[in-house]
Structure formats: structure tokens, C-alpha cells
Amino acid sequence: MSMERQPDCRRRRTQGTNGLNASRAKRKGSPCQRDDDSQGGEIQIQSLPEDTWCYIHSLMPMQAAARAACVSRAFLRSWRCHPNLTFSYTTLGLDKKTCESDAAARDFSGKVDQILKRHSGIGMKKLKIHMFEYCDAKDSCNLDTWLQIAVMPGIEELKLTLPIEADRDSLLGKRAKYIFPHSLLSNGSGDSIRYLFLSGCSFNATAELCWLRSLTKLCLHGVYITGDKLGCLLCNSLALERLEIRYCDGLVCLKVPFMLQQLRYLEVFGCAGLRMIDSKAPNISRFSYEGGRTVQLSLGETLQMKKLYIYFHGAVHYARVELPSSMPNLKTATIYSSCEMINTPMLRSKYLHLKKLSIVLSATTFPAAYDYFSLVSFFDACPSLETLVLNVSQWKMEHASIFTNPLDLRTMQGQQHHKMKRVKILGFTSAKSLVELTCHIVESITSLEHLTLEAIQSSFRCSVPAHKRRKCSPLPTDVLMEAQRAVLAIRTYIEPKVPSMVKLRVVEPCRRCHAVEL
């Protein structure tokens, strides 16, 4: 290397060292400061089309999007029209333990107010607000303001959750304290909404409510609404596919109009004041109901009904006596009852296409007068049945035990089933009628492949990874004793009758955690 070029090399090395030191110094600043200093990076961001940058930002979760807005001016612009906003104690970084305090509630309202008032209202697709405290007058004004900002043409999902428990007395009375401003859905603002979820408020729809042309899913949880008001809402939602109504105690009569041709799923749970469900929607394929048996169920045309869930006293008798003729195409049914005072009768009506049946007869103490053996009526009624799950779990078994009278076990001649493959009985006891039912299963179901008989188990088990327990939760001594009798009944009266081609699985209480002997 010549003598003339040496100073140039040293100069370049010196410049490189100084640049490296300067770069290190910049990295010591805050993220926002780095953004101001790093003009090169900002120039690259600026070179991207704004629509592309907004789209990238919209894919981020809300918390990540807010953080990104602190380090980039481009992200700051897109943050003010971010399409998906969820406000809860988690997303706002509030301590869950202190959320019930007035200070935390004010902090929540202040943060939401600041974000939404700086939001342009343009491009909003989803808004979810989960409030912790019961709304006072100021909160109601804030909610009105927030919803006015968000509910604009283009919004697709709106979810407002207020605490139901804090306002339970009002829901049972005339109205909840916060009245949802249904006028926001007018003038085209509600045309784009596909999913509307309201909880803990009142909804007073009127006949002038504009068409909710895009609404496909409506969920009302703990909302005070009358049958007439709900009727107005439903008649303006012709695209509705899913309707969920829970704990709306002001509702006395639910009428689902025939014009809801797209409605496929109807769910009604825990509406204490409800007396009648009158559905004329012709294409409902899934119906779920939980409540009192005093409700008059009129489901109209149910030829499309494929899945059924019902839970009330006497549900098993109701499902066997009143439903088969009206639901000929049913494929899956779950019947839950904590009290059956009448045995299940043998009838000619059938569920010709039912493939999976789950019957839950579970209670602290199930009525001893109920005869489990009468459930054979369902075997005759369901010629296509492939899977049967029977849950008879109870803390105190009062049925006559097989060990008190082991003689004269009943049988039913001539009834055979050629399609059932899997049977599972949970909470198995030594009740004589249950043993008789199980013996009938192994003797008359020629297609049976798997039989699982499970004695009562702990709520949390050490053998279940998801429970994260080193030891099973305790069981009362008398419950454990009955579980041991149940296992003995299986080994003595059922297991010898199980055909060799049937895989029998007997599940006992955990021996390591429950060391109880007869």
C-alpha cells in the first residue's frame, strides 16, 4: 500500500468508529425517541402506501397496535382509525383486583373516553366494551358518546357487556338503568352490523327501527326487553341466522316470526318470566332450551331440526311423549333433567334418524321412584341410534340396591338393536333398575363395540392434566362407599354377560387418592 493512501484508510476507520458509537448512543433512548432520530427507518415506512400500512396495523391485537403507535408516526395515524377495539380491564392494563374500586372505574372510563374521542370513527369494524361497575348517570352519558362515535356505516360487530348481577333487581322489575340508544341503528348506521351482543341493559325497539339488513347473530344476555319490543327487532332482521336469549326475565312471550327464513339456531336460557315460546321460523336446525317446564313450547314446522338440547324437570318424559312426531329428522339430542316423577313410557312414536342421544339424570338425590329400566323405551324409539351417553351422577343414592334384592332381574324379550356401537354410563351406582338396564344393553344390542361404566368421580382428578391437581378433590365417605358397591355390582352381575367382542371399560375412583374399603 502506498504512503498516500494510508491517511484515507485511517480516516475511513475513524468515521466508521464514530458512526458505530453514534448508533449505540441512539439505541439508549426511548422507543419514541428512537423513532424521531431514526429518519432512515421512518423514510422506509413513509414509502409504503398508507392503505397497506393501515392494513398491517389492523391485523395486530389492540394492545400491540397501541404500542406500535408510540414508535411510529405512520402507525399513530392508522391507530386513530384502528378497526377493532376491545375495552376491558385486561386490554387497558388495569389490575383485576382493584377494578371494583371507584378509582379504577374512573381510570377505565377515562382511558376509553380518551381513545375513542381521538378515534376518527372511520373504518371501525368491531367494538367491544366490558364494564366492571354498575352504570351511573355519568357512565350512561359516556356510553352514549362512545357508541355515537363507533356506530357508523361500516361497523360489523358491536358488543356491550354490563354486569348482570349488579342490576339483577332492575331486570326483574321495569327496566335496567342503562337504556341502549337503539336510534343509533337508524339512518343506515346499523345496515352493516352482523353481530350484536347486549348484556345488562334495556332495549326499547320501536316499529320505526330501520332494517338491520346484515344482522346474522343477535345475543341478548340479561337484557330487559318485552315481547313486543323484541318482535320489532326480529321483524327488522330478516338475515338473522342465530338468536341467543339468556336471563331476559322481562320477556313473557317469545314469538319468532315466519319471515326469519335464514334462522338456523335458537337458544333460550334462564328467562324466569317466560311463559311461551312460539316459533314459526321454518328452517331452525338447532334448538336449545333451559328453564321451567311451565313454558309452553310451540316450535311449528321442525322438519329441519337436527340438534336438540332441553333442560327442565320432566324433560325425559317430555322428549319421549311429545317430541318424536314433530322432529322426525332429529340426529343429535341432549336431554337434561334433575327430576323425573313419571317413568318413561313405551310408545310407538320414533326418532327414525337419531344417531346420538345423551340423557342426564343428575341431581344431589334423584327421585328414588324413577325406574331407570324404563329408559329401554328410547332403544325401541331410536332404530338408527349409534351412541348413547347416560349420566346418573348423584351424591346420595336412594334407589333400591341390587345387593338388597339380587333375585328376579327383569328382562325384555324380543327387543334387539342392531346399530348401537358405543354406550357410556357415568356416575354408575348399584341401583337395581340401573343394573337391569345395563344387562339389557349387553344382551340385546348385537352391534355393541364399546361399553364404558364409570362410578362417580372427583370433580378434579389427578389423572387429568387439565385439572393440574396432584391429588383428587375429596369425596364424602358415603359417596365413595356407594362407588365401591357400584364397581362390585358391575363385576358380579354385568361383566359375566358382556360378549367377548365388546370392549368393557370400568372406571373406579382413584385408588391412590381414595383409599376406602367396603
Side-chain angles (χ1 to χ4, degrees):
M1 183 178 294
S2 64
M3 295 295 293
E4 300 96 63
R5 298 182 63 185
Q6 288 180 2
D8 291 338
C9 292
R10 285 194 296 268
R11 187 163 53 252
R12 281 196 292 268
R13 284 197 296 268
T14 302
Q15 289 173 350
T17 303
N18 292 338
L20 180 61
N21 292 335
S23 177
R24 288 172 177 171
K26 288 181 181 180
R27 283 198 293 268
K28 293 180 180 179
S30 67
C32 293
Q33 289 172 334
R34 288 202 305 273
D35 177 68
D36 293 337
D37 293 336
S38 304
Q39 295 298 328
E42 186 66 39
I43 289 171
Q44 291 178 1
I45 293 176
Q46 297 280 356
S47 66
L48 289 174
E50 187 172 351
D51 289 347
T52 302
W53 210 239
C54 288
Y55 175 72
I56 294 173
H57 199 199
S58 70
L59 299 178
M60 297 181 180
M62 194 182 89
Q63 288 176 297
R67 293 190 188 101
C70 295
V71 298
S72 167
R73 287 191 292 270
F75 271 147
L76 180 60
R77 288 193 297 272
S78 61
W79 166 245
R80 289 173 179 164
C81 58
H82 197 271
N84 305 320
L85 298 179
T86 299
F87 299 114
S88 66
Y89 73 87
T90 302
T91 59
L92 295 179
L94 298 176
D95 185 0
K96 185 176 181 180
K97 295 181 180 179
T98 62
C99 281
E100 296 181 358
S101 67
D102 292 339
R106 287 195 300 270
D107 195 18
F108 173 85
S109 295
K111 288 186 176 183
V112 176
D113 198 58
Q114 183 182 39
I115 294 172
L116 278 178
K117 285 184 176 178
R118 291 183 178 180
H119 198 281
S120 65
I122 300 173
M124 181 86 73
K125 297 294 184 183
K126 297 179 182 180
L127 175 65
K128 301 178 183 179
I129 301 176
H130 303 269
M131 295 194 73
F132 329 111
E133 289 289 325
Y134 180 71
C135 291
D136 56 20
K138 183 178 179 181
D139 290 324
S140 295
C141 292
N142 285 336
L143 280 169
D144 287 344
T145 301
W146 300 341
L147 294 175
Q148 287 170 2
I149 294 171
V151 182
M152 298 180 66
I155 189 168
E156 297 178 355
E157 183 174 327
L158 178 60
K159 187 172 184 178
L160 175 61
T161 305
L162 308 179
I164 297 177
E165 294 81 9
D167 201 30
R168 190 64 173 171
D169 292 339
S170 295
L171 295 175
L172 289 168
K174 293 297 181 182
R175 61 175 57 188
K177 288 188 178 180
Y178 180 69
I179 302 175
F180 180 82
H182 66 273
S183 59
L184 288 175
L185 305 177
S186 301
N187 301 321
S189 297
D191 282 356
S192 58
I193 293 181
R194 298 176 57 83
Y195 175 32
L196 178 61
F197 178 101
L198 300 177
S199 175
C201 61
S202 285
F203 193 94
N204 295 331
T206 63
E208 290 74 27
L209 181 68
C210 290
W211 295 103
L212 301 176
R213 305 179 189 277
S214 303
L215 189 64
T216 59
K217 184 177 180 180
L218 174 63
C219 301
L220 304 177
H221 291 194
V223 172
Y224 179 79
I225 187 169
T226 65
D228 292 339
K229 303 297 184 183
L230 181 57
C232 291
L233 180 57
L234 295 180
C235 288
N236 286 280
S237 309
L238 300 187
L240 199 63
E241 299 174 2
R242 185 181 182 98
L243 175 60
E244 297 179 14
I245 301 175
R246 293 190 173 206
Y247 312 112
C248 296
D249 295 336
L251 193 63
V252 177
C253 177
L254 170 61
K255 293 186 177 182
V256 182
F258 177 80
M259 62 183 68
L260 294 186
Q261 301 283 314
Q262 305 302 318
L263 190 64
R264 299 291 185 271
Y265 180 84
L266 175 60
E267 175 184 300
V268 183
F269 279 11
C271 299
L274 192 62
R275 294 294 175 266
M276 183 175 72
I277 298 177
D278 182 9
S279 173
K280 291 182 169 57
N283 296 313
I284 295 177
S285 59
R286 296 180 63 183
F287 175 64
S288 298
Y289 173 74
E290 180 178 322
R293 180 59 190 96
T294 55
V295 172
Q296 179 183 347
L297 293 176
S298 177
L299 300 176
E301 293 293 333
T302 56
L303 296 178
Q304 302 300 323
M305 193 71 70
K306 299 295 191 299
K307 293 185 178 182
L308 174 72
Y309 172 90
I310 53 175
Y311 180 9
F312 50 82
H313 289 353
V316 172
H317 185 269
Y318 175 82
R320 185 65 189 94
V321 174
E322 300 189 40
L323 287 184
S325 59
S326 65
M327 297 185 181
N329 297 314
L330 197 65
K331 291 186 177 181
T332 302
T334 299
I335 307 166
Y336 198 129
S337 175
S338 57
C339 183
E340 291 287 324
M341 301 306 297
I342 304 175
N343 293 332
T344 307
M346 293 295 295
L347 299 171
R348 293 185 178 182
S349 57
K350 297 181 183 295
Y351 294 100
L352 294 176
H353 301 287
L354 190 66
K355 293 188 176 182
K356 182 176 181 179
L357 174 62
S358 299
I359 300 176
V360 183
L361 300 174
S362 182
T364 302
T365 300
F366 204 77
Y370 183 74
D371 184 5
Y372 291 122
F373 189 66
S374 68
L375 290 172
V376 297
S377 173
F378 279 97
F379 301 163
D380 182 60
C382 307
S384 301
L385 194 64
E386 296 178 357
T387 302
L388 171 67
V389 179
L390 175 61
N391 188 336
V392 292
S393 300
Q394 53 187 309
W395 286 107
K396 187 177 181 181
M397 199 277 289
E398 294 186 347
H399 285 76
S401 173
I402 184 69
F403 297 111
T404 61
N405 183 14
L407 302 176
D408 301 324
L409 292 181
R410 290 174 292 174
T411 59
M412 184 171 291
Q413 301 297 328
Q415 188 191 57
Q416 288 195 337
H417 203 293
H418 303 290
K419 290 190 177 181
M420 199 180 309
K421 297 179 180 180
R422 293 169 294 275
V423 174
K424 178 184 289 188
I425 303 180
L426 307 175
F428 200 91
T429 67
S430 65
K432 183 177 181 180
S433 63
L434 184 60
V435 173
E436 291 171 328
L437 174 67
T438 311
C439 289
H440 176 78
I441 289 172
V442 298
E443 291 175 336
S444 65
I445 300 179
T446 58
S447 55
L448 190 63
E449 297 176 358
H450 299 274
L451 175 62
T452 300
L453 304 177
E454 181 177 294
I456 195 166
Q457 302 289 315
S458 298
S459 301
F460 298 96
R461 308 185 206 179
C462 64
S463 60
V464 180
H467 290 173
K468 298 179 181 180
R469 298 288 292 255
R470 298 181 63 182
K471 187 176 181 179
C472 298
S473 55
L475 288 172
T477 301
D478 56 341
V479 173
L480 284 171
M481 296 291 285
E482 176 53 38
Q484 294 287 353
R485 284 191 289 269
V487 173
L488 182 59
I490 294 171
R491 301 298 186 192
T492 305
Y493 297 100
I494 300 171
E495 189 172 23
K497 298 181 180 182
V498 177
S500 58
M501 69 284 297
V502 177
K503 185 177 180 179
L504 173 64
R505 180 170 177 257
V506 181
V507 183
E508 307 178 28
C510 176
R511 293 185 178 183
R512 183 177 69 87
C513 301
H514 305 299
V516 175
E517 298 180 358
L518 287 175

